[in-house]
Amino acid sequence: MTRSCSAVGCSTRDTMLSRERGLSFHQFPTDTIQRSKWIRAVNRVDPRSKKIWIPGPGAILCSKHFQESDFESYGIRRKLKKGAVPSVSLYKVLKSSCKQS
Ligand SMILES: [Zn+2]
């Protein structure tokens, strides 16, 4: 099963090709506080319940939503730093693209 990024307006899928392009994929943290920070950052609304969207067990975000400084490198592998919160290209992108049109 191919998973895709959970961020609003982002359609990056977790495929070999994406990984070859240097993207990495990160599951939502299990720590409650950290997890709620991610949920708030993603700021996604469930279309059915109209409530804040809660990530399922397989929910992931792609590395586009993190700053370079949020990562630690182990050789060729990258890992998110403890406490990193997504801050890049989230819902704000949609808002700014609306203004342009
Ligand atoms: Zn993404």
Side-chain angles (χ1 to χ4, degrees), residues 5-7 10-12 61-65:
C5 178
S6 297
C10 181
S11 54
T12 308
L61 285 182
C62 71
S63 54
K64 286 180 188 173
H65 311 292

Side-chain angles (χ1 to χ4, degrees), residues 6-100:
S6 297
V8 178
C10 181
S11 54
T12 308
R13 296 200 300 165
D14 185 357
T15 60
M16 287 285 285
L17 191 67
S18 301
R19 285 174 185 266
E20 276 171 19
R21 285 177 180 161
L23 292 168
S24 53
F25 296 85
H26 306 278
Q27 286 202 335
F28 280 70
T30 47
D31 177 84
T32 317
I33 295 167
Q34 191 63 13
R35 191 179 173 85
S36 64
K37 282 185 188 171
W38 281 43
I39 292 169
R40 234 176 296 157
V42 169
N43 199 27
R44 186 169 153 179
V45 175
D46 191 301
R48 277 176 296 180
S49 66
K50 309 275 184 231
K51 285 180 183 162
I52 189 107
W53 171 83
I54 302 295
I60 49 168
L61 285 182
C62 71
S63 54
K64 286 180 188 173
H65 311 292
F66 298 90
Q67 293 179 18
E68 216 42 62
S69 57
D70 290 332
F71 293 99
E72 281 175 317
S73 311
Y74 297 95
I76 53 162
R77 284 176 173 264
R78 280 198 306 177
K79 206 184 149 201
L80 271 181
K81 280 183 189 169
K82 209 179 166 198
V85 175
S87 57
V88 184
S89 302
L90 289 164
Y91 63 99
K92 289 168 195 141
V93 172
L94 288 178
K95 279 187 188 166
S96 59
S97 63
C98 286
K99 269 181 201 163
Q100 281 166 11

